[in-house]
């Protein structure tokens, strides 16, 4: 089932959680709603599920082109996985999964044997059939997560909505589970939307990523698009570490210290300041100046643990700069604390700030 | 009288190291003070009730219950509790549900009102009903016209009892339901459950121990209430006397054996209540702990 969100606004008292949000989700896609806390991503998910009602007169939610705005959450045929799972604590795992089938009106309720069959199949799918008789409190976080997913799938939802599905798990379980979710989605092909504040998770799992900030959608695109072609500074900033350099615009070039960088053609207009964004791994360190586009810096701190060596520098104008270099390069350079180095941006992204004075 | 005594004995025996504990002398002095206090104010009176009641033999003890007035008093007390407890159970669940799961204007006012019976002296509560329904009261003339008797009759006793025992169930459930939040109800709703289904299958099972605990306390108070009932009852023997009032009458007539025999009924109710309360407390604490564990583990990042 496809979902369309049209100009949805949602306010809680004075706080505006969603501002005129529009979004289209085609059938069968796996979408990530990515944003910092308070960006409105969970609210949007709850509005789609019908657990939250958008402000009156603000817009519509369409399922398969049909207006579902006034449909209650009971009738939306969505599966919802809550952040803290919300498993029914007084029911066994089996009964938790069977719940959605048992509460159906008598006419459409499957028989006891059908329920049994279906629940067992689902528990097998999430690899927890051996825990059917346990209670939620006896399960680990990752197991509960999978039960919550099985329970949501039991009612054969047209849409699967997941609120921070891996948010409360430890790093290792988290990685396993998200790969597993991706595989599951490829098997079931049910339209899925999940909320996350973890950019790595969104980029790894989703077909498309919706980056949200302060109740607005900043960018929608494939993980590749949002990572390599961010629409604005917020997206660039949010999707990974980044260094910011403030520069002056003069004669079609951005000047930062002694560096002068060409402005892209379409950015030339009346702006006076520009911000240059460079990811830490796209900065080159050298003992000698290599070309004109470099700046001087002093090594402040080196952290060689991990696949890349993280070097903290203080630039000639006194700002901290983060650089990531390979272990190999680190050995070749023989970097020491307080060494003077030259830094060259290999690739950068320039955003011009327009002052409305 | 029963049930209002907060007697929670810590059942956990933890062996502590010296660093976290007081010297033996201090510990045993404090424990001794508590035990002497409990003995003087609880155990001795309780023993006195039974020894006085059985002082003239078992036959005299049981004779006190064969008296028609005593039987009438027991019947009236049971009837009052049988009406007041279910009414307050329904009200308590409804109020707690509304307060814990919804946001509305006047919520704090409602919480304060629920607490009112606790803060008002029972005698004053009784007087309020006399002022309302009594012959000289606001609704008195209208009631007299329609031949409805409330004050100095059974309805007044029931009303006063309901008022006094009003907060027990609601007070017990509100914090419990607030702690449990609304996520499970939301989950049920998304899975297709209707309002009633959600209530019967999710909400009620989650609060059952807290509810039972509230009902036990409510019942103990309903049967033992003296002040408010005394004001509205009129003390008509065999008609508007509850067990506590009957005890008073017998005692004032120097019929101490019968008075203590009937009082021993209330004392036994207190003991049964305490036992039931402890069991339910233990059960609900285990459930709360399990719930908290679920929540806490869920929140670990």
């Amino acid at each position: 089932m496809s979902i369309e969100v049209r100009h949805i606004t949602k306010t809680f008292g004075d706080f505006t959680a969603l501002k005129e949000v529009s979004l289209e989700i085609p059938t069968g896609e796996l979408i990530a709603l990515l944003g910092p806390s308070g960006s409105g991503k969970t609210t949007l998910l709850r509005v789609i599920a019908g657990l939250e009602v958008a402000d009156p007169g603000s817009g519509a939610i369409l399922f398969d082109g049909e207006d579902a705005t006034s449909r209650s959450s009971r009738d939306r045929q969505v599966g919802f996985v809550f952040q803290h799972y919300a498993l029914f604590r007084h029911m066994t795992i089996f009964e938790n999964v069977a719940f959605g089938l048992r509460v159906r009106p008598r006419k459409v309720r499957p028989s006891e044997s059908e329920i049994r069959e279906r629940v067992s199949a689902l528990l097998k799918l999430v690899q927890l059939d051996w825990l059917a008789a346990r209670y939620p409190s006896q399960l680990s976080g990752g197991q509960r997560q999978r039960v919550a997913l099985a329970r949501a799938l039991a009612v054969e939802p047209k849409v699967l909505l997941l609120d921070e599905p891996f948010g409360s798990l430890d790093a290792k379980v988290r990685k396993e589970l998200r790969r597993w979710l991706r595989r599951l989605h490829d098997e079931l092909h049910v339209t899925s939307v999940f909320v996350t504040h973890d950019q790595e998770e969104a980029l790894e799992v989703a077909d498309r990523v919706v980056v949200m900030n302060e109740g607005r959608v900043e960018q929608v695109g494939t993980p590749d698009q949002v990572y390599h072609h961010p629409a604005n500074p917020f997206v660039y900033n949010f999707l990974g570490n980044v260094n910011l350099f403030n520069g002056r615009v003069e004669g079609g070039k951005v000047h930062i210290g002694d560096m002068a960088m060409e402005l892209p053609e379409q950015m030339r207009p009346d702006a006076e300041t520009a911000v240059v964004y460079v990811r830490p791994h796209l900065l080159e360190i050298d003992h000698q100046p290599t070309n004109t586009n470099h700046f001087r810096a002093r090594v402040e701190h080196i952290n060689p643990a991990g696949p890349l060596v993280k070097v903290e520098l203080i630039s000639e104008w006194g700002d901290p700069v983060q650089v990531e270099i390979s272990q190999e390069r680190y050995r070749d350079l023989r970097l020491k604390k307080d060494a003077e180095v030259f830094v060259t941006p290999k690739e950068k992204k320039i955003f011009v700030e327009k002052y409305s004075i | 009288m029963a049930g209002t005594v907060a007697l929670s004995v810590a059942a956990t025996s933890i062996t502590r190291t010296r660093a976290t504990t007081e010297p033996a002398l201090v510990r045993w002095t404090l424990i001794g003070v508590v035990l002497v206090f409990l003995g003087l104010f609880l155990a001795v009176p309780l023993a006195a009730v039974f020894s006085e009641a059985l002082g003239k033999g078992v036959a005299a003890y049981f004779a006190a219950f064969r008296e028609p007035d005593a039987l009438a008093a027991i019947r009236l007390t049971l009837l009052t509790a049988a009406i007041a407890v279910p009414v307050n159970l329904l009200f308590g669940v409804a109020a707690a549900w509304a307060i814990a799961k919804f946001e509305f204007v006047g919520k704090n006012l409602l919480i304060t009102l629920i607490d009112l019976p606790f803060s008002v002296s029972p005698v004053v509560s009784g007087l309020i009903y006399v002022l309302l329904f009594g012959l000289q009261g606001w609704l008195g003339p209208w009631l007299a016209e329609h031949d409805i008797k409330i004050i100095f009759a059974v309805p007044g006793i029931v009303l006063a009892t309901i008022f006094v025992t009003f907060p027990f169930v609601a007070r017990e459930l509100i914090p419990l339901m607030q702690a449990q939040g609304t996520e499970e109800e939301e989950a049920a709703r998304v899975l297709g459950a209707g309002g009633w289904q959600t209530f019967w299958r999710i909400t009620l099972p989650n609060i059952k121990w807290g509810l039972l605990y509230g009902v036990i306390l409510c019942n103990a108070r309903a049967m033992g209430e003296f002040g408010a009932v005394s004001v509205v009852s009129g003390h008509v023997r065999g008609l508007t006397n509850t067990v506590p009032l009957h005890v008073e009458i017998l005692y004032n007539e120097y019929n101490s054996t019968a008075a203590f025999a009937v009082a021993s009924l209330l004392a036994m109710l207190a003991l049964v209540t305490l036992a039931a309360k402890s069991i339910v407390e233990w059960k609900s604490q285990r459930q709360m702990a399990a719930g908290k564990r679920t929540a806490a583990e869920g929140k670990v990042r």
Side-chain angles (χ1 to χ4, degrees), chain A residues 165-184:
Chain A
F166 317 115
S168 18
L169 303 169
D170 58 64
K172 205 164 150 54
V173 180
R174 206 172 165 136
K175 282 199 172 156
E176 275 168 30
L177 264 185
R178 70 190 189 210
R179 251 172 260 136
W180 176 81
L181 176 72
R182 180 68 238 187
R183 281 203 306 277
L184 190 77

Side-chain angles (χ1 to χ4, degrees), chain A residues 46 51 73-74 78 80 82-84 86-91 99-100 102-103 137 139 144 151-152 155 167-169 197, chain B residues 180 183-184 186-195 197 201-202 205-206 287 290-291 293-295 297-301:
Chain A
R46 290 173 62 88
L51 291 170
S73 55
R74 267 185 90 179
V78 298
F80 200 101
F82 290 83
Q83 187 176 0
H84 302 305
L87 295 180
F88 306 132
R89 67 194 97 185
H90 62 285
M91 291 184 198
F99 184 84
R102 290 205 195 282
V103 296
S137 57
L139 267 58
R144 274 180 225 167
R151 184 178 70 176
V155 293
S168 18
L169 303 169
H197 59 259
Chain B
Q180 287 177 347
E183 264 203 345
E184 284 183 46
E186 282 181 347
R189 196 144 54 98
V190 176
L191 287 169
Q197 284 175 316
R201 287 167 180 261
I202 307 300
N206 273 342
Q287 195 192 23
R293 210 159 51 231
T294 319
E297 278 170 24
K299 271 169 197 149
V300 171
R301 272 165 199 270

